[in-house]
Amino acid sequence: MTPARRGASDSRTSGRSPAVPVGFTGWIDERSPGIAERWASGLLTDGDSWVGDTRPVARPFCRGLVSFLPGMLGPFRAQILPLWSEGAELFGSVAARRGLSAGEVIEEFQLLREVILRMMFERPPTRAEGGLPLREILQLNRAVDIGVTQASVGHTDLLFFSLIHDSGVPAPLGADDLIEVCDQIRALQAEGQRIMGHTRRG
């Protein structure tokens, strides 16, 4: 029995909200670690932009961002959206400091959508009575679109800041910068987990 089914059973017998998301949201929640790992693997093997000291940041970045997706599909989307947007902007600003162009940033974030779609074909979510969960899939697409937009904003803002205040070329990420990025990712993810913990307790 899957965790989602246990949650559904518990809610029927106790009258409480499910302990975990169900349906398509539950499918995303259950597969979040695999989605993050595939996304990170794709980033690390597709090209050479994640090089040297930046490579260890890729997986925490992907895990942190993907952890917000179940919340972006649920009733507490309003609370998760600022975290998702901030994380995506951070992704874009880091990409600028890795030397990526605006188009490359978009391609890297769009890879998340491709990973999810491939996993859906490999092991589709359980069909609801009304067929495929079109509403949730549209919400997922909107979430990824927001992520792409905010990553582009983060990239552009850093380039503009560098142009106004410096040489126009963002400084490469140093060791202290990478530590700070990881700390920001962890803080955002912890806040998302706190919010989702409250939602799951009903």
Side-chain angles (χ1 to χ4, degrees), residues 119-200:
M119 292 181 70
M120 286 178 62
F121 276 102
E122 291 170 6
R123 190 174 177 186
T126 303
R127 287 176 178 264
E129 290 182 5
L132 289 173
L134 180 59
R135 176 175 173 272
E136 288 83 357
I137 292 173
L138 290 174
Q139 286 179 330
L140 174 65
N141 270 298
R142 281 195 291 267
V144 175
D145 287 342
I146 290 170
V148 169
T149 299
Q150 295 305 120
S152 180
V153 167
H155 181 275
T156 302
D157 283 354
L158 186 61
L159 290 179
F160 180 76
F161 181 84
S162 299
L163 181 63
I164 296 298
H165 297 282
D166 205 346
S167 65
V169 179
L173 291 160
D176 291 342
D177 298 317
L178 292 168
I179 292 172
E180 183 179 352
V181 167
C182 288
D183 287 344
Q184 290 180 60
I185 296 168
R186 281 193 292 267
L188 290 171
Q189 189 172 9
E191 179 63 11
Q193 290 171 344
R194 184 191 66 79
I195 293 171
M196 291 306 297
H198 284 308
T199 66
R200 291 174 186 179

Side-chain angles (χ1 to χ4, degrees), residues 10 17 23 30 32 44 58 67 79 116 136 151 166 169 180 191:
D10 290 345
S17 298
E30 184 180 82
S32 290
L44 292 171
S67 72
Q79 288 94 324
I116 295 173
E136 288 83 357
D166 205 346
V169 179
E180 183 179 352
E191 179 63 11

